[in-house]
Amino acid sequence: TEVFPLALFAVGGMLAFTSAGDLLTLFIALEVLSLPLYVLCATARRRRALSQEAAMKYFLLGAFSSAFFLMGVALLYGYAGSLNYVAIATALINVTGMDYLLVAGVVLVLVGLLFKVGAAPFHSWTPDAYQGAPTPITGFMAAGTKIAAFAAMLRFLYIVGRGVEWEITPALWTIVIVTMLVGTVGGIVQSDVKRMLAYSSIAQAGYMMTAMVATNAAGIKAVLFYAMVYVLANVGAFVTVSYLETERGGADFCSVRGLAHDSLLPAGILMVALLTMAGIPPTAGFVGKIYIFSAAIDAGYLWLAGLGFVVSMMSVYYYLLVIKEMFRDVEEGEKVAEEHL
């Protein structure tokens, strides 16, 4: 029963996180959002050791990211004398000779936000936490936490970050590229559907950050639309993973094998979710990726959009691999496994 109040606390933190207009409220919302999730990750009834290990990793790395975040808040307060977004933006015009405080403060606050988004190199908690947490909690984290963090990051970057756009944009480019590559390459080598979806979420964060770096109205609309599509696809995927764990005892590729022959509805939900995340037409994911890459091109980042397109095509491999396993006969899969051995 403790799951429900903890989940409600986390939802309240997410709502405050997205609507915060000052850094103190943002930090309090971050903690209200994060602390229940640390506990929820450890509530698995089976595989308790794996669940508790995931919660401990998530907690320790989250504590480090919160420390970076607080240090950034302190530097921004030293720069502007206020924690309000608008007051900090106003100080960009009036304060001179303290740009180093502004740049350092924005970067450190972004570290805390990028951790919640799951962007590389702040992603190391994601695969373990996703795999160890109970599957409904994993779906809740994958959908709610990431979207709340993106909304908070958009508000922060478009109000406060405008003053250091020239300094931080190259760093954001680097993070976007590394995030897309880590999520795609990491997903290809996975044999567990939950870990594959974890790396997929890292790659999806890279796509959304591609539009966010564009710093234009089209970029904001693209991020919001793609976030909505991502939430629906993730919920569908993790509902099916929960079904696999309940009915087939696991969520690895062996558990997926033959699902379409036995249970057509869960297989159909998972297939639509994976095709949406892959961006295959005519799914909404395809439309979302068009919006994202178009926003980047409009802002002059043709090379970034091109790289995102190439990486997106690479990621199709592991989505289609799961779909292939769903339609494979169990006997055929066992024969292939024996040949490999």
Side-chain angles (χ1 to χ4, degrees):
T1 55
E2 70 275 5
V3 169
F4 301 105
L6 287 172
L8 287 175
F9 275 120
V11 170
M14 292 175 192
L15 295 174
F17 203 49
T18 57
S19 58
D22 64 88
L23 293 170
L24 183 60
T25 304
L26 190 69
F27 175 72
I28 294 172
L30 174 64
E31 295 306 305
V32 173
L33 154 66
S34 301
L35 293 175
L37 290 178
Y38 301 149
V39 179
L40 288 171
C41 279
T43 55
R45 293 183 179 179
R46 302 168 186 169
R47 301 181 304 164
R48 286 183 178 271
L50 184 65
S51 178
Q52 291 167 4
E53 178 187 352
M56 183 59 67
K57 289 179 179 178
Y58 190 17
F59 168 69
L60 291 176
L61 293 173
F64 275 109
S65 73
S66 296
F68 281 110
F69 185 95
L70 269 181
M71 188 64 197
V73 170
L75 293 177
L76 288 175
Y77 182 78
Y79 173 80
S82 175
L83 297 175
N84 185 270
Y85 286 176
V86 177
I88 297 172
T90 304
L92 298 175
I93 304 171
N94 301 326
V95 179
T96 57
M98 297 175 65
D99 290 348
Y100 61 93
L101 281 180
L102 176 64
V103 174
V106 170
V107 169
L108 289 174
V109 170
L110 282 177
V111 167
L113 295 175
L114 289 169
F115 174 85
K116 282 301 172 189
V117 165
F122 315 106
H123 69 286
S124 56
W125 63 274
T126 308
D128 292 328
Y130 276 38
Q131 186 181 23
T135 301
I137 303 304
T138 305
F140 177 62
M141 289 195 302
T145 306
K146 192 176 293 288
I147 303 312
F150 262 110
M153 194 187 305
L154 279 173
R155 287 176 65 90
F156 179 76
L157 276 179
Y158 280 79
I159 298 175
V160 178
R162 288 299 184 103
V164 292
E165 187 176 346
W166 180 259
E167 289 86 353
I168 67 172
T169 298
L172 289 176
W173 293 342
T174 305
I175 290 172
V176 169
I177 294 169
V178 173
T179 300
M180 290 191 293
L181 291 175
V182 167
T184 302
V185 175
I188 289 174
V189 299
Q190 301 304 316
S191 59
D192 185 272
V193 178
K194 286 179 78 173
R195 287 188 74 89
M196 185 274 289
L197 289 173
Y199 279 101
S200 168
S201 75
I202 295 169
Q204 303 294 338
Y207 303 142
M208 285 190 270
M209 287 182 66
T210 302
M212 191 177 66
V213 171
T215 62
N216 54 24
I220 297 176
K221 293 176 182 177
V223 171
L224 295 177
F225 178 81
Y226 197 82
M228 178 184 68
V229 173
Y230 169 82
V231 166
L232 294 176
N234 257 273
V235 169
F238 281 109
V239 164
T240 308
V241 170
S242 181
Y243 171 84
L244 288 172
E245 291 180 334
T246 302
E247 299 296 327
R248 296 192 166 205
D252 56 3
F253 282 13
C254 293
S255 302
V256 175
R257 189 172 297 143
L259 180 64
H261 301 291
D262 300 335
S263 307
L264 191 58
L265 180 60
I269 293 173
L270 182 58
M271 184 175 70
V272 171
L274 294 176
L275 292 177
T276 300
M277 287 187 277
I280 303 296
T283 62
F286 173 72
V287 179
K289 286 185 178 177
I290 288 178
Y291 285 159
I292 281 175
F293 297 144
S294 298
I297 292 170
D298 290 343
Y301 301 131
L302 178 61
W303 63 272
L304 193 59
L307 179 63
F309 176 78
V310 171
V311 174
S312 179
M313 291 300 99
M314 290 171 57
S315 69
V316 171
Y317 169 78
Y318 54 77
Y319 294 121
L320 293 183
L321 187 62
V322 177
I323 295 173
K324 177 185 174 183
E325 290 292 330
M326 286 195 301
F327 286 92
R328 173 180 283 178
D329 291 331
V330 177
E331 293 79 6
E332 178 190 352
E334 291 175 351
K335 188 183 297 183
V336 171
E338 290 174 1
E339 290 175 358
H340 282 296
L341 291 173

